[in-house]
Amino acid sequence: MHTKFGKLGLGLLLLSLGASVQAAEIGYDGDHILNKDAKRGFAPHENYNLVYEDDFNGTAVNESEWTLRTGSRLGGNNYRENTTVSDGLLHVEIGYEDRVGDTATLTGGGVISKKLFGYGYYEAKGQLFGATGGMHSSFWVMGRGGGDNVTVPANNVIIEIDFYEIDSGTPEEINTNVHYYIGNHWTEGGFKDGKTPDYGKIDTSAREFVMGVEWLPNKINWYLDGKLFRTVENPDHYGPQNMWLTGLGSNYFKEEILLDKLPGESNWDYFRFYNVDLLGVNMVVNPSFEYNTQEDFLPEYTRSTKSPVGWYTKGNSKNTATNVILTDESYDGNALLRHGSAMFDYDVTTYLHIPFLPNETYTFSAMVRNSSGGNHTVTISGEGMEISELEIPKTDPGVWEKVTIENIKVEKGEAIISFISDATKSQYLDIDDVSFVQTTGKDPHTSLDLYPTAVAQIPMHFGDIVSGYQHANSGYKEFGTFGNSSLKGYLDKSSRWAATLEGNYATWSPQLTKSGLYEIEFFNVMHENRTDQATIEVHHVDGVEKIALNQKAVSGFVNLGSFNLDENSYVKMYGVPDTGNMSFDSVVFKQDGSDEIKEVLKDGIAVRLDSNIALIDTAKTKINNANPNAVLKVINETAYIPIQFIYEQFGAANASIKDNVMSIFYMDHMIEFTEGSNIMNVATKDISMSDKCFVENGVWYAPAVDVIEAFKIYGYNVNNEYYLFSNKPVPEIKNAANLLEILF
């Protein structure tokens, strides 16, 4: 179903003010900037529109807009009194306390915005402290954890963009970076191709300077006094975040601190934010609810599934009837949002506030499943807007349907999307793939297309057991004191390091459920300060093998040999004390048959019994996004495959269903399947199938062996648990079922 619904559409209902989330709850006060043209600063294009500013012209920080930064950080203490406003400037003072001789606890402060800011152009003019080391001055965006779920989402730490981080001991050095916090913590790095971005010569303590940053869906641009000096392409993840202007007192940066040069201050003349038309861009944070949890998330970066990252929840049942579900039945990705309770009647609202939008026309859409009924609605509201409501229809069991609201007019720079459920127990609403897209406005001032990226290569050890820090729940353990290393390891992921001290070692376990012969490879991260006296121990069925490793001398995989392993087997590494640092990355355990199955999957397909997930060119893909009922079935020892899935993957030009016949145009001829018949027609010839074609939950099925014959492809049945399809002959593969189990 494709529902069209707008303010002028048939069936528009106006809600009472109490029926949806109101702008007053979010704290947005509309389009309030005066004299915008006089305050353009260095905005990169005339289409940018100033929508927020603080010129710090009062006598105190405006605490309706900003939170004062307090608490301890980086060895210093932050206090309210260190942050003041006077003479048209925001002042953040660095001081000290508890002086004992030349040692003191440094103090600082700063402000954090209460509003959230996303795509657009950010600009601040400032002059920073530089008389001595000890002050870390920063201009950046990042979400805050533990939000109040009214003005800030409870889960909203997504991305950190460091517009600059400048230490007072080196005021001529501008540090920029991008950090991500979804599933792990990793960075783009402060360098490009091993070099610091060229921003020219500047002393940020000697004069005022203007830093501007443009955050767009496909790039982040840094500008110093209007000159572009760095671009990060195709940033991962998106969500409006808090704005930070801070000056931390800290002795963590190994710079000389002269207490007689304190107190001092960094100050800022203004902060400004500009929006721009972004036609066709989805402005929804976490649109498919993938940010809370995934199988490969590190445990410390898994978020509560009761509150979707970037979204708000409310209602008497918000803690019991709102859940992010990790499931193969999702429409997009691996997760969905579910309203429902098996025990109680419930009322709950999950809503999203999208701030600082251009005042233009938008289209909303979402995929929903509502097979059990109940009172479920979606509303679009906002300051100055007429509220639109759409009742979510009942859907067929398991099947996703699209709901749409068009011609939504944003009036004062915001939109609030609310999914509202008031239902009885066992009535469930599933939500996925939410979209809110601008449809009118000025042409984009720059291309919004993603930059070309290297074609994803099949990992060297695709299909084997990989253990390491970057691989969640993989049997990797550390003992002693370890840290993150900037050196890249396997699959270009960051590695770990530790000093060669007694008690510092790591272990890698394949966590086997079936014993057997495995070839073991260790990925070594080489560096000149690494130890040349590392020892690797392989604990296997027949004993312990010790292997010497010089971490200065070799980069990449080191073959340790083949060993009989069982559930108690593992690999251990340590070093001779005081011989340097050690690198720790991945260990790969290769099984018989892994190379053969990797070769098949380079351009083939694997499907699993009773699963809507397939491996296509080594990537996990849905057999049918909209209908999770489409799965590989085995009935009376006959494997049945969804016909649509095969013809889509192997290049059928067209297909149609009329009455009880599915007709497919493939390779210059027609293929026809008839519901309830064991006869298929291929190029006008009737061919008997091993069993009948049937339709179940909207999915057409035929025996896999006959579908293979009809499409002139190759197939391989693996114990009636998996099926492999390819344009090339599929060899018999040792250990195929075990290997496929790992892949799925």
Side-chain angles (χ1 to χ4, degrees):
M1 187 187 81
H2 184 79
T3 304
K4 295 184 177 180
F5 192 84
K7 290 198 296 183
L8 301 179
L10 181 64
L12 175 65
L13 300 177
L14 298 181
L15 300 179
S16 67
L17 291 178
S20 69
V21 178
Q22 296 303 298
E25 297 183 41
I26 306 298
Y28 185 75
D29 55 0
D31 188 358
H32 64 286
I33 305 300
L34 303 175
N35 196 20
K36 296 178 182 180
D37 290 339
K39 298 178 178 179
R40 288 207 53 78
F42 291 102
H45 193 274
E46 63 181 6
N47 287 352
Y48 273 99
N49 187 36
L50 180 63
V51 290
Y52 184 86
E53 68 168 343
D54 194 330
D55 283 337
F56 307 117
N57 285 328
T59 58
V61 172
N62 181 355
E63 294 192 49
S64 67
E65 298 287 318
W66 303 95
T67 297
L68 291 166
R69 188 168 191 183
T70 59
S72 299
R73 178 67 174 160
L74 299 180
N77 294 328
N78 300 296
Y79 297 111
R80 291 177 55 89
E81 53 266 30
N82 284 48
T83 306
T84 58
V85 169
S86 63
D87 302 321
L89 297 172
L90 171 70
H91 306 268
V92 178
E93 179 184 278
I94 175 176
Y96 63 90
E97 61 185 1
D98 301 330
R99 181 172 179 176
V100 179
D102 291 331
T103 303
T105 299
L106 300 177
T107 64
V111 293
I112 309 166
S113 71
K114 293 184 176 180
K115 289 183 171 64
L116 303 179
F117 299 86
Y119 293 139
Y121 174 72
Y122 301 74
E123 189 175 274
K125 179 191 285 187
Q127 185 170 348
L128 309 181
F129 179 67
T132 180
M135 190 173 191
H136 184 71
S137 299
S138 303
F139 171 36
W140 48 305
V141 290
M142 188 180 79
R144 300 188 69 184
D148 59 12
N149 201 33
V150 176
T151 59
V152 177
N155 279 326
N156 203 44
V157 181
I158 298 171
I159 186 173
E160 173 187 342
I161 308 175
D162 296 320
F163 302 164
Y164 59 70
E165 294 181 278
I166 301 175
D167 299 325
S168 57
T170 53
E172 71 284 355
E173 294 181 7
I174 297 175
N175 300 295
T176 63
N177 207 344
V178 180
H179 299 252
Y180 304 104
Y181 296 95
I182 301 302
N184 196 348
H185 175 201
W186 77 102
T187 78
E188 296 284 352
F191 305 91
K192 184 171 179 61
D193 299 326
K195 298 179 181 179
T196 301
D198 183 11
Y199 46 78
K201 292 183 178 180
I202 185 172
D203 183 343
T204 60
S205 67
R207 67 169 177 86
E208 287 188 321
F209 68 99
V210 176
M211 182 64 72
V213 171
E214 183 181 30
W215 183 10
L216 296 173
N218 63 336
K219 59 189 169 186
I220 304 171
N221 289 326
W222 281 258
Y223 300 85
L224 177 59
D225 293 330
K227 180 182 177 181
L228 176 68
F229 70 89
R230 185 183 185 192
T231 297
V232 165
E233 299 176 351
N234 301 336
D236 286 335
H237 309 305
Y238 173 70
Q241 304 284 267
N242 301 90
M243 180 71 245
W244 306 60
L245 286 167
T246 60
L248 306 181
S250 175
N251 59 4
Y252 276 31
F253 300 100
K254 298 181 180 179
E255 301 160 355
E256 185 178 12
I257 300 172
L258 304 174
L259 296 183
D260 59 0
K261 298 291 186 180
L262 304 180
E265 68 174 34
S266 289
N267 59 66
W268 288 271
D269 183 47
Y270 64 76
F271 163 64
R272 295 173 185 167
F273 176 73
Y274 304 73
N275 70 11
V276 70
D277 292 328
L278 296 174
L279 279 77
V281 173
N282 188 6
M283 302 302 290
V284 172
V285 55
N286 192 14
S288 294
F289 308 102
E290 304 293 307
Y291 290 2
N292 286 70
T293 181
Q294 295 288 317
E295 290 181 357
D296 61 349
F297 280 15
L298 296 180
E300 58 267 39
Y301 291 96
T302 297
R303 316 286 179 84
S304 168
T305 58
K306 296 295 182 183
S307 185
V309 171
W311 293 68
Y312 303 80
T313 58
K314 64 184 299 186
N316 295 335
S317 310
K318 67 180 182 181
N319 294 324
T320 58
T322 303
N323 285 282
V324 174
I325 306 294
L326 195 62
T327 172
D328 290 347
E329 292 191 8
S330 60
Y331 176 80
D332 180 60
N334 302 305
L336 57 85
L337 174 66
R338 176 167 294 168
H339 286 180
S341 171
M343 301 294 293
F344 308 103
D345 297 348
Y346 66 95
D347 69 277
V348 67
T349 298
T350 303
Y351 63 99
L352 175 68
H353 175 238
I354 308 177
F356 298 115
L357 291 168
N359 293 330
E360 293 290 345
T361 303
Y362 294 78
T363 293
F364 158 86
S365 68
M367 300 302 296
V368 297
R369 296 196 306 183
N370 178 29
S371 60
S372 52
N375 181 18
H376 308 285
T377 59
V378 58
T379 69
I380 313 294
S381 60
E383 181 73 19
M385 289 173 58
E386 188 176 6
I387 301 172
S388 301
E389 178 189 46
L390 173 65
E391 293 185 7
I392 294 177
K394 191 171 181 180
T395 62
D396 292 334
V399 178
W400 291 95
E401 295 188 8
K402 188 174 186 178
V403 293
T404 304
I405 302 176
E406 296 181 336
N407 301 315
I408 302 166
K409 179 64 177 176
V410 170
E411 298 291 348
K412 291 198 172 183
E414 69 165 1
I416 301 167
I417 301 170
S418 304
F419 291 96
I420 306 167
S421 294
D422 182 6
T424 61
K425 65 180 182 179
S426 300
Q427 290 183 322
Y428 296 95
L429 171 66
D430 289 344
I431 305 160
D432 205 351
D433 195 29
V434 184
S435 176
F436 193 79
V437 174
Q438 184 179 345
T439 56
T440 64
K442 298 176 182 177
D443 290 335
H445 72 289
T446 182
S447 172
L448 300 176
D449 294 335
L450 292 178
Y451 287 84
T453 57
V455 176
Q457 299 295 314
I458 300 173
M460 184 183 301
H461 297 95
F462 181 82
D464 299 318
I465 302 172
V466 182
S467 177
Y469 176 77
Q470 295 286 359
H471 310 280
N473 305 315
S474 70
Y476 172 76
K477 294 181 180 179
E478 296 173 351
F479 301 86
T481 303
F482 282 67
N484 282 322
S485 171
S486 60
L487 300 176
K488 300 295 186 181
Y490 179 51
L491 300 180
D492 207 33
K493 294 179 180 291
S494 59
S495 59
R496 300 282 282 174
W497 75 278
T500 50
L501 301 176
E502 196 71 38
N504 280 355
Y505 66 93
T507 63
W508 296 260
S509 168
Q511 305 179 95
L512 300 178
T513 57
K514 296 180 180 179
S515 303
L517 183 67
Y518 291 79
E519 183 181 353
I520 305 177
E521 294 189 321
F522 177 93
F523 194 94
N524 186 61
V525 180
M526 183 179 69
H527 193 268
E528 62 184 4
N529 73 1
R530 295 313 193 237
T531 180
D532 58 1
Q533 299 179 58
T535 297
I536 299 176
E537 294 181 352
V538 179
H539 293 248
H540 53 94
V541 171
D542 303 312
V544 178
E545 182 87 7
K546 291 189 177 183
I547 302 160
L549 175 65
N550 179 356
Q551 291 204 299
K552 297 178 185 290
V554 60
S555 180
F557 278 103
V558 177
N559 191 297
L560 304 183
S562 295
F563 303 88
N564 286 311
L565 305 181
D566 62 13
E567 69 274 11
N568 298 314
S569 299
Y570 63 94
V571 171
K572 177 180 179 179
M573 194 190 93
Y574 53 90
V576 174
D578 302 321
T579 60
N581 296 328
M582 299 178 286
S583 289
F584 297 85
D585 196 69
S586 300
V587 172
V588 176
F589 302 85
K590 298 184 64 175
Q591 300 184 69
D592 281 348
S594 63
D595 289 338
E596 290 86 348
I597 203 164
K598 180 172 66 176
E599 190 65 29
V600 170
L601 292 176
K602 280 183 178 179
D603 58 358
I605 297 170
V607 294
R608 182 176 62 178
L609 179 65
D610 294 330
S611 172
N612 187 43
I613 297 297
L615 285 169
I616 302 175
D617 296 335
T618 75
K620 282 190 176 182
T621 309
K622 300 287 195 324
I623 290 177
N624 187 318
N625 288 67
N627 191 347
N629 297 311
V631 299
L632 174 70
K633 290 179 174 292
V634 174
I635 302 174
N636 296 327
E637 298 186 354
T638 297
Y640 288 84
I641 190 73
I643 302 170
Q644 179 184 358
F645 173 67
I646 295 298
Y647 76 62
E648 287 177 345
Q649 298 307 318
F650 288 95
N654 193 16
S656 63
I657 299 173
K658 185 176 181 181
D659 298 327
N660 64 336
V661 177
M662 172 181 280
S663 301
I664 305 160
F665 186 69
Y666 179 73
M667 297 180 68
D668 299 325
H669 63 267
M670 294 296 296
I671 302 173
E672 292 185 342
F673 296 91
T674 302
E675 182 182 2
S677 172
N678 68 339
I679 302 297
M680 64 179 179
N681 187 282
V682 180
T684 71
K685 294 181 180 179
D686 286 342
I687 300 174
S688 295
M689 297 190 296
S690 56
D691 214 325
K692 295 178 181 179
C693 170
F694 67 91
V695 180
E696 183 178 278
N697 293 325
V699 182
W700 283 66
Y701 289 94
V705 292
D706 301 304
V707 173
I708 289 168
E709 181 181 352
F711 287 90
K712 301 184 185 305
I713 58 178
Y714 298 92
Y716 180 37
N717 187 336
V718 183
N719 302 340
N720 268 348
E721 298 175 21
Y722 304 93
Y723 226 107
L724 300 176
F725 300 93
S726 178
N727 280 312
K728 302 175 183 177
V730 180
E732 185 173 346
I733 300 171
K734 295 180 181 178
N735 207 30
N738 290 338
L739 290 166
L740 288 167
E741 182 179 0
I742 294 170
L743 297 178
F744 279 90

